[in-house]
């Protein structure tokens, strides 16, 4: 499965290093140099060989130095990311780290059937952070759970922190995700499923809802499932990262994100610091899972578990310092805003009220993707 996903992403996303302006500039330079060489060899018989050779060599060297200096000055971020891509090192301190512009405590609330979630994105104070619609930290024990319910128009990403959850859907898709596993579900035009605890004790995890653009809302449903052992990870100077989507420390996740998204789980040892680039223009937030840390600016007050920190729009990434005596664990997510109207009615997220009306009708009558809804119910 992971290999299939990897193959698909490789096809869909050409390696960024081969298309980077630095490489293009270098390739052009090499071409120009070789044409110089051609020129010099063809003019060998007519000009003085001994004089032109060292001058040409010097000229080539000079051009190379100029090109490298100009590239680094013009594209410092690119120079940094391409070097980290090859050697898997943490990016150096950011020039302009994003500030924390909002801090929201995710308070517990009842959800599903007897379950409890700490909702941050999606609660009143943090309605939505385009393209993100909801973030729940769930804590669920049997017999509570999230029995049969539909989705349309977005993606749900379930990341298990502890325990196991079994999902079943109306197409016969069934599976169990355990500690560290990820289920990336693209609901598209429609899925009806159940999500229930699969073992005794408390099952914990994060569920993130990512909106789909109007052109993707009615696509075929799709699953991308990653077992904990298959999740890309990297470590550097006391900072460990598990990469659910996107790239960190030069390591990429195989998950394909229809709405461009990065999503990672960082664990920072006491005394460590992190400087993680975030694409310009993307909305970004941090959710603290465990411990406490200083985010955005070294002088900021520390923030603790169950807080969601919204990062400001300007800046080149996230800087974090763990000045405490215990490990700090948090999720970082960032996504390219869709900048489209959002109309949500529970598990249906569309662009207009008419589309919501249509979704409810389709679900009720079993049409346009909900054909299997009426005769299905999950098994126990
Ligand atoms: C849902 C009520 C719900 N947060 N976190 C209404 F409970 C749900 C729902 C979930 C959910 C499921 C998991 Cl596994 C984790 C969650 C809400 O299933 F989708 C709607 N519409
Ligand atoms: Fe669901």
């Amino acid at each position: 499965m992971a290999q299939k996903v990897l193959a698909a992403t490789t096809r869909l996303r050409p390696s960024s290093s081969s298309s980077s302006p630095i490489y293009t500039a270098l390739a052009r330079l090499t071409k120009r140099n070789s044409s110089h060489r051609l020129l010099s060899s063809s003019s060998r018989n007519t000009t003085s060989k001994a004089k032109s050779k060292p001058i040409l060599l010097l000229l080539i060297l000079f051009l190379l130095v100029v090109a490298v200096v100009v590239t680094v000055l013009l594209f410092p971020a690119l120079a940094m990311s391409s070097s980290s891509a090859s050697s898997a090192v943490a990016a150096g301190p950011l020039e302009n780290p994003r500030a924390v512009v909002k801090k929201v405590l995710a308070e517990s609330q009842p959800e599903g059937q007897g379950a409890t979630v700490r909702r941050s994105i999606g609660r009143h104070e943090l309605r939505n952070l385009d393209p993100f619609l909801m973030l729940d930290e769930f804590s669920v024990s049997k017999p509570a759970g999230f029995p049969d319910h539909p989705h349309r128009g977005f993606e749900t990403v379930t990341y298990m922190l502890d325990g196991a959850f079994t999902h079943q859907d109306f197409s016969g898709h069934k599976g169990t995700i355990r500690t560290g596993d990820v289920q990336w579900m693209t609901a598209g035009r429609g899925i009806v499923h159940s999500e229930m605890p699969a073992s005794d004790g408390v099952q914990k995890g994060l569920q993130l809802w990512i909106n789909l653009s109007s052109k993707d809302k009615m696509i075929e449903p799709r699953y991308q499932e990653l077992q904990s052992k298959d999740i890309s990870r990297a470590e550097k100077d006391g900072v460990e990262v598990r990469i659910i989507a996107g790239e960190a420390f030069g390591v990429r996740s195989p998950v394909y994100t229809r709405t461009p998204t990065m999503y990672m789980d960082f664990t920072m040892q006491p005394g460590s610091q992190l400087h993680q680039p975030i694409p310009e223009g993307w909305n970004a937030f941090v959710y603290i899972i465990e411990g406490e840390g200083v985010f955005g600016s070294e002088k900021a007050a520390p923030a603790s578990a169950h807080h969601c920190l919204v990062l400001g729009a300007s800046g080149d990434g996230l800087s974090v310092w763990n000045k405490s005596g215990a490990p700090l664990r948090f999720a970082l997510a960032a996504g390219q805003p869709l900048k489209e109207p959002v109309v949500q009615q529970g598990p249906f997220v569309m662009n207009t009220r008419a589309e919501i009306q249509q979704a409810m009708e389709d679900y009720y009558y079993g049409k346009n993707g909900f054909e299997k809804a009426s005769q299905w119910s999950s098994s126990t």
Side-chain angles (χ1 to χ4, degrees), residues 247-291:
E247 182 182 324
F249 298 179
V251 179
R252 254 205 102 75
S253 157
V255 167
Y256 174 65
T257 61
R258 204 156 267 285
T259 301
T261 308
M262 67 187 271
Y263 190 20
M264 27 207 90
D265 169 11
F266 285 99
T267 301
M268 297 178 61
Q269 293 310 314
S272 64
Q273 50 178 281
L274 163 73
H275 305 281
Q276 170 63 39
I278 298 170
E280 206 185 310
W282 287 23
N283 285 325
F285 70 88
V286 159
Y287 186 77
I288 305 171
I289 298 165
E290 195 184 306

Short mmCIF file of all heavy atoms in Angstrom, two decimals, residues 247-291:
data_model
loop_
_atom_site.label_atom_id
_atom_site.label_comp_id
_atom_site.label_asym_id
_atom_site.label_seq_id
_atom_site.Cartn_x
_atom_site.Cartn_y
_atom_site.Cartn_z
N GLU A 247 7.35 17.66 4.11
CA GLU A 247 8.78 17.38 4.26
C GLU A 247 9.39 18.10 5.46
O GLU A 247 9.08 19.26 5.73
CB GLU A 247 9.51 17.84 2.98
CG GLU A 247 10.99 17.56 3.01
CD GLU A 247 11.73 18.06 1.77
OE1 GLU A 247 11.16 17.99 0.66
OE2 GLU A 247 12.85 18.54 1.94
N ALA A 248 10.25 17.38 6.19
CA ALA A 248 11.00 17.99 7.30
C ALA A 248 12.37 17.35 7.35
O ALA A 248 12.51 16.15 7.07
CB ALA A 248 10.28 17.78 8.63
N PHE A 249 13.38 18.12 7.67
CA PHE A 249 14.78 17.65 7.78
C PHE A 249 15.21 16.92 6.50
O PHE A 249 15.99 15.98 6.55
CB PHE A 249 14.98 16.73 8.98
CG PHE A 249 14.71 17.35 10.34
CD1 PHE A 249 14.84 16.59 11.49
CD2 PHE A 249 14.36 18.67 10.47
CE1 PHE A 249 14.61 17.14 12.75
CE2 PHE A 249 14.12 19.24 11.72
CZ PHE A 249 14.25 18.47 12.86
N GLY A 250 14.64 17.31 5.37
CA GLY A 250 15.03 16.70 4.11
C GLY A 250 14.36 15.36 3.83
O GLY A 250 14.70 14.67 2.88
N VAL A 251 13.39 14.97 4.67
CA VAL A 251 12.70 13.69 4.48
C VAL A 251 11.24 13.95 4.13
O VAL A 251 10.58 14.79 4.75
CB VAL A 251 12.80 12.83 5.77
CG1 VAL A 251 12.07 11.52 5.60
CG2 VAL A 251 14.26 12.59 6.13
N ARG A 252 10.73 13.23 3.12
CA ARG A 252 9.36 13.46 2.64
C ARG A 252 8.42 12.32 2.99
O ARG A 252 8.82 11.16 2.99
CB ARG A 252 9.39 13.57 1.10
CG ARG A 252 9.20 14.97 0.57
CD ARG A 252 8.62 15.01 -0.83
NE ARG A 252 7.21 15.34 -0.77
CZ ARG A 252 6.74 16.55 -0.53
NH1 ARG A 252 7.56 17.56 -0.35
NH2 ARG A 252 5.45 16.77 -0.46
N SER A 253 7.17 12.65 3.25
CA SER A 253 6.15 11.63 3.47
C SER A 253 5.62 11.14 2.12
O SER A 253 5.54 11.92 1.17
CB SER A 253 4.99 12.24 4.27
OG SER A 253 3.81 11.51 4.05
N PRO A 254 5.24 9.86 2.03
CA PRO A 254 4.68 9.35 0.78
C PRO A 254 3.21 9.72 0.58
O PRO A 254 2.64 9.44 -0.46
CB PRO A 254 4.84 7.84 0.91
CG PRO A 254 4.82 7.58 2.38
CD PRO A 254 5.45 8.79 3.03
N VAL A 255 2.59 10.34 1.57
CA VAL A 255 1.15 10.67 1.46
C VAL A 255 0.91 11.75 0.41
O VAL A 255 1.64 12.74 0.34
CB VAL A 255 0.59 11.12 2.83
CG1 VAL A 255 -0.79 11.75 2.69
CG2 VAL A 255 0.53 9.93 3.79
N TYR A 256 -0.10 11.51 -0.42
CA TYR A 256 -0.48 12.51 -1.42
C TYR A 256 -1.55 13.42 -0.84
O TYR A 256 -2.58 12.95 -0.36
CB TYR A 256 -0.99 11.82 -2.70
CG TYR A 256 -1.53 12.82 -3.69
CD1 TYR A 256 -0.68 13.75 -4.29
CD2 TYR A 256 -2.88 12.89 -4.00
CE1 TYR A 256 -1.15 14.69 -5.18
CE2 TYR A 256 -3.37 13.82 -4.89
CZ TYR A 256 -2.51 14.72 -5.48
OH TYR A 256 -2.98 15.66 -6.34
N THR A 257 -1.29 14.71 -0.86
CA THR A 257 -2.26 15.66 -0.30
C THR A 257 -2.91 16.44 -1.43
O THR A 257 -2.25 17.19 -2.13
CB THR A 257 -1.59 16.62 0.71
OG1 THR A 257 -0.57 17.38 0.05
CG2 THR A 257 -0.95 15.87 1.86
N ARG A 258 -4.22 16.21 -1.59
CA ARG A 258 -4.95 16.85 -2.69
C ARG A 258 -5.03 18.36 -2.45
O ARG A 258 -4.89 19.15 -3.36
CB ARG A 258 -6.35 16.23 -2.76
CG ARG A 258 -6.99 16.34 -4.08
CD ARG A 258 -8.03 15.26 -4.24
NE ARG A 258 -7.47 14.08 -4.87
CZ ARG A 258 -7.19 13.98 -6.17
NH1 ARG A 258 -7.37 14.99 -6.96
NH2 ARG A 258 -6.72 12.87 -6.67
N THR A 259 -5.25 18.72 -1.19
CA THR A 259 -5.11 20.11 -0.77
C THR A 259 -3.69 20.18 -0.19
O THR A 259 -3.39 19.47 0.76
CB THR A 259 -6.14 20.45 0.33
OG1 THR A 259 -7.45 20.22 -0.18
CG2 THR A 259 -6.01 21.89 0.78
N PRO A 260 -2.79 20.99 -0.80
CA PRO A 260 -1.39 20.96 -0.33
C PRO A 260 -1.28 21.20 1.18
O PRO A 260 -1.73 22.22 1.70
CB PRO A 260 -0.74 22.10 -1.13
CG PRO A 260 -1.57 22.18 -2.38
CD PRO A 260 -2.98 21.89 -1.93
N THR A 261 -0.72 20.21 1.87
CA THR A 261 -0.69 20.21 3.34
C THR A 261 0.61 19.66 3.88
O THR A 261 1.16 18.72 3.29
CB THR A 261 -1.83 19.30 3.88
OG1 THR A 261 -3.07 19.67 3.29
CG2 THR A 261 -1.95 19.39 5.40
N MET A 262 1.10 20.21 4.97
CA MET A 262 2.17 19.54 5.73
C MET A 262 1.63 19.24 7.13
O MET A 262 0.83 19.99 7.68
CB MET A 262 3.45 20.38 5.78
CG MET A 262 3.39 21.68 6.54
SD MET A 262 4.91 22.64 6.34
CE MET A 262 5.86 22.00 7.69
N TYR A 263 2.04 18.07 7.65
CA TYR A 263 1.52 17.63 8.95
C TYR A 263 2.60 16.78 9.59
O TYR A 263 3.00 15.78 9.00
CB TYR A 263 0.23 16.83 8.70
CG TYR A 263 -0.59 16.48 9.94
CD1 TYR A 263 -0.46 17.17 11.14
CD2 TYR A 263 -1.53 15.44 9.89
CE1 TYR A 263 -1.23 16.84 12.25
CE2 TYR A 263 -2.31 15.11 10.98
CZ TYR A 263 -2.15 15.82 12.16
OH TYR A 263 -2.92 15.49 13.25
N MET A 264 3.10 17.20 10.74
CA MET A 264 4.14 16.42 11.39
C MET A 264 4.03 16.41 12.90
O MET A 264 3.37 17.25 13.49
CB MET A 264 5.53 16.88 10.95
CG MET A 264 5.62 18.32 10.51
SD MET A 264 6.95 18.57 9.36
CE MET A 264 6.23 18.30 7.79
N ASP A 265 4.67 15.41 13.48
CA ASP A 265 4.63 15.18 14.93
C ASP A 265 6.07 15.31 15.44
O ASP A 265 6.92 14.48 15.13
CB ASP A 265 4.07 13.76 15.16
CG ASP A 265 4.22 13.28 16.59
OD1 ASP A 265 4.57 14.08 17.49
OD2 ASP A 265 4.01 12.07 16.82
N PHE A 266 6.35 16.39 16.19
CA PHE A 266 7.69 16.65 16.70
C PHE A 266 7.81 16.28 18.18
O PHE A 266 6.91 16.57 18.96
CB PHE A 266 8.03 18.14 16.59
CG PHE A 266 8.34 18.62 15.19
CD1 PHE A 266 7.37 19.26 14.43
CD2 PHE A 266 9.60 18.43 14.64
CE1 PHE A 266 7.65 19.71 13.15
CE2 PHE A 266 9.89 18.88 13.36
CZ PHE A 266 8.92 19.52 12.61
N THR A 267 8.93 15.66 18.54
CA THR A 267 9.27 15.48 19.95
C THR A 267 10.63 16.13 20.19
O THR A 267 11.61 15.79 19.53
CB THR A 267 9.31 13.99 20.34
OG1 THR A 267 8.02 13.42 20.08
CG2 THR A 267 9.64 13.80 21.81
N MET A 268 10.65 17.09 21.12
CA MET A 268 11.88 17.84 21.39
C MET A 268 12.37 17.57 22.80
O MET A 268 11.64 17.74 23.77
CB MET A 268 11.62 19.35 21.22
CG MET A 268 11.23 19.75 19.80
SD MET A 268 10.87 21.52 19.65
CE MET A 268 12.44 22.25 20.12
N GLN A 269 13.61 17.14 22.90
CA GLN A 269 14.21 16.89 24.21
C GLN A 269 14.52 18.22 24.91
O GLN A 269 14.67 19.25 24.24
CB GLN A 269 15.48 16.05 24.05
CG GLN A 269 15.22 14.62 23.56
CD GLN A 269 14.15 13.89 24.36
OE1 GLN A 269 14.15 13.92 25.60
NE2 GLN A 269 13.21 13.26 23.66
N PRO A 270 14.62 18.20 26.27
CA PRO A 270 14.94 19.44 26.99
C PRO A 270 16.22 20.08 26.44
O PRO A 270 17.19 19.40 26.14
CB PRO A 270 15.17 18.95 28.43
CG PRO A 270 14.33 17.73 28.55
CD PRO A 270 14.37 17.07 27.20
N GLY A 271 16.18 21.39 26.24
CA GLY A 271 17.35 22.13 25.77
C GLY A 271 17.47 22.20 24.26
O GLY A 271 18.34 22.90 23.74
N SER A 272 16.59 21.50 23.54
CA SER A 272 16.72 21.50 22.07
C SER A 272 15.92 22.65 21.45
O SER A 272 15.05 23.24 22.09
CB SER A 272 16.24 20.17 21.49
OG SER A 272 14.87 19.99 21.75
N GLN A 273 16.25 22.97 20.20
CA GLN A 273 15.48 23.97 19.46
C GLN A 273 15.22 23.50 18.04
O GLN A 273 15.91 22.61 17.54
CB GLN A 273 16.17 25.33 19.48
CG GLN A 273 17.63 25.32 19.07
CD GLN A 273 18.19 26.75 19.09
OE1 GLN A 273 17.96 27.51 18.16
NE2 GLN A 273 18.92 27.10 20.13
N LEU A 274 14.20 24.08 17.43
CA LEU A 274 13.78 23.66 16.09
C LEU A 274 13.49 24.89 15.23
O LEU A 274 12.93 25.87 15.72
CB LEU A 274 12.50 22.82 16.21
CG LEU A 274 11.68 22.62 14.92
CD1 LEU A 274 12.40 21.64 13.99
CD2 LEU A 274 10.28 22.13 15.22
N HIS A 275 13.88 24.81 13.96
CA HIS A 275 13.56 25.89 13.03
C HIS A 275 13.07 25.22 11.75
O HIS A 275 13.87 24.74 10.95
CB HIS A 275 14.80 26.76 12.79
CG HIS A 275 15.37 27.28 14.06
ND1 HIS A 275 14.84 28.36 14.72
CD2 HIS A 275 16.39 26.82 14.84
CE1 HIS A 275 15.53 28.56 15.84
NE2 HIS A 275 16.47 27.64 15.94
N GLN A 276 11.75 25.14 11.63
CA GLN A 276 11.13 24.39 10.54
C GLN A 276 10.51 25.33 9.50
O GLN A 276 9.59 26.08 9.82
CB GLN A 276 10.05 23.46 11.12
CG GLN A 276 9.16 22.79 10.09
CD GLN A 276 9.91 21.86 9.15
OE1 GLN A 276 10.83 21.15 9.57
NE2 GLN A 276 9.58 21.89 7.87
N PRO A 277 11.01 25.31 8.25
CA PRO A 277 10.41 26.17 7.22
C PRO A 277 8.95 25.79 6.95
O PRO A 277 8.57 24.62 7.03
CB PRO A 277 11.27 25.87 5.98
CG PRO A 277 12.52 25.24 6.49
CD PRO A 277 12.15 24.53 7.75
N ILE A 278 8.14 26.80 6.65
CA ILE A 278 6.73 26.60 6.26
C ILE A 278 6.52 27.40 4.98
O ILE A 278 6.93 28.56 4.92
CB ILE A 278 5.76 27.09 7.36
CG1 ILE A 278 5.96 26.30 8.66
CG2 ILE A 278 4.30 27.01 6.90
CD1 ILE A 278 5.23 26.88 9.86
N PRO A 279 5.89 26.82 3.96
CA PRO A 279 5.70 27.55 2.70
C PRO A 279 4.96 28.88 2.92
O PRO A 279 4.03 28.96 3.73
CB PRO A 279 4.86 26.59 1.86
CG PRO A 279 5.15 25.24 2.41
CD PRO A 279 5.39 25.43 3.89
N GLU A 280 5.39 29.88 2.18
CA GLU A 280 4.79 31.21 2.28
C GLU A 280 3.32 31.15 1.86
O GLU A 280 2.97 30.45 0.92
CB GLU A 280 5.57 32.14 1.34
CG GLU A 280 5.53 33.59 1.74
CD GLU A 280 6.22 34.46 0.70
OE1 GLU A 280 7.36 34.13 0.32
OE2 GLU A 280 5.59 35.45 0.27
N GLY A 281 2.48 31.88 2.58
CA GLY A 281 1.07 31.95 2.21
C GLY A 281 0.22 30.84 2.80
O GLY A 281 -1.01 30.90 2.72
N TRP A 282 0.86 29.81 3.38
CA TRP A 282 0.08 28.71 3.96
C TRP A 282 -0.34 29.08 5.38
O TRP A 282 0.44 29.67 6.13
CB TRP A 282 0.92 27.42 4.02
CG TRP A 282 1.13 26.79 2.68
CD1 TRP A 282 1.08 27.38 1.46
CD2 TRP A 282 1.46 25.40 2.46
NE1 TRP A 282 1.35 26.46 0.47
CE2 TRP A 282 1.58 25.25 1.06
CE3 TRP A 282 1.66 24.29 3.28
CZ2 TRP A 282 1.90 24.02 0.47
CZ3 TRP A 282 1.97 23.08 2.71
CH2 TRP A 282 2.08 22.94 1.31
N ASN A 283 -1.55 28.71 5.76
CA ASN A 283 -1.98 28.86 7.15
C ASN A 283 -1.38 27.73 7.97
O ASN A 283 -1.29 26.59 7.48
CB ASN A 283 -3.51 28.85 7.24
CG ASN A 283 -4.11 30.15 6.75
OD1 ASN A 283 -3.53 31.23 6.93
ND2 ASN A 283 -5.27 30.07 6.10
N ALA A 284 -0.98 28.05 9.19
CA ALA A 284 -0.28 27.06 10.00
C ALA A 284 -0.68 27.14 11.47
O ALA A 284 -1.02 28.21 11.97
CB ALA A 284 1.24 27.26 9.88
N PHE A 285 -0.67 25.97 12.12
CA PHE A 285 -0.93 25.94 13.56
C PHE A 285 -0.14 24.82 14.22
O PHE A 285 0.33 23.89 13.55
CB PHE A 285 -2.43 25.78 13.84
CG PHE A 285 -2.96 24.41 13.50
CD1 PHE A 285 -2.92 23.37 14.41
CD2 PHE A 285 -3.49 24.16 12.24
CE1 PHE A 285 -3.39 22.10 14.09
CE2 PHE A 285 -3.97 22.90 11.91
CZ PHE A 285 -3.92 21.87 12.84
N VAL A 286 -0.02 24.95 15.55
CA VAL A 286 0.65 23.95 16.36
C VAL A 286 -0.37 23.43 17.36
O VAL A 286 -1.18 24.22 17.87
CB VAL A 286 1.83 24.61 17.12
CG1 VAL A 286 2.24 23.80 18.33
CG2 VAL A 286 3.01 24.86 16.19
N TYR A 287 -0.36 22.12 17.62
CA TYR A 287 -1.19 21.60 18.71
C TYR A 287 -0.27 20.85 19.67
O TYR A 287 0.39 19.88 19.29
CB TYR A 287 -2.29 20.67 18.18
CG TYR A 287 -3.22 20.24 19.30
CD1 TYR A 287 -4.19 21.12 19.78
CD2 TYR A 287 -3.07 19.01 19.93
CE1 TYR A 287 -5.00 20.76 20.85
CE2 TYR A 287 -3.88 18.64 20.99
CZ TYR A 287 -4.85 19.53 21.44
OH TYR A 287 -5.65 19.18 22.51
N ILE A 288 -0.24 21.32 20.92
CA ILE A 288 0.69 20.72 21.90
C ILE A 288 0.06 19.48 22.50
O ILE A 288 -1.03 19.52 23.07
CB ILE A 288 1.07 21.74 22.99
CG1 ILE A 288 1.64 23.01 22.34
CG2 ILE A 288 2.10 21.13 23.95
CD1 ILE A 288 1.86 24.16 23.31
N ILE A 289 0.76 18.36 22.35
CA ILE A 289 0.27 17.07 22.83
C ILE A 289 0.75 16.82 24.27
O ILE A 289 0.01 16.33 25.11
CB ILE A 289 0.76 15.93 21.89
CG1 ILE A 289 0.18 16.13 20.47
CG2 ILE A 289 0.39 14.55 22.43
CD1 ILE A 289 0.87 15.30 19.40
N GLU A 290 2.01 17.19 24.52
CA GLU A 290 2.60 16.87 25.83
C GLU A 290 3.74 17.84 26.14
O GLU A 290 4.49 18.20 25.24
CB GLU A 290 3.15 15.44 25.75
CG GLU A 290 3.47 14.78 27.05
CD GLU A 290 4.10 13.40 26.80
OE1 GLU A 290 3.50 12.58 26.08
OE2 GLU A 290 5.21 13.18 27.31
N GLY A 291 3.86 18.25 27.42
CA GLY A 291 4.96 19.11 27.84
C GLY A 291 4.68 20.57 27.56
O GLY A 291 3.55 20.96 27.31
#
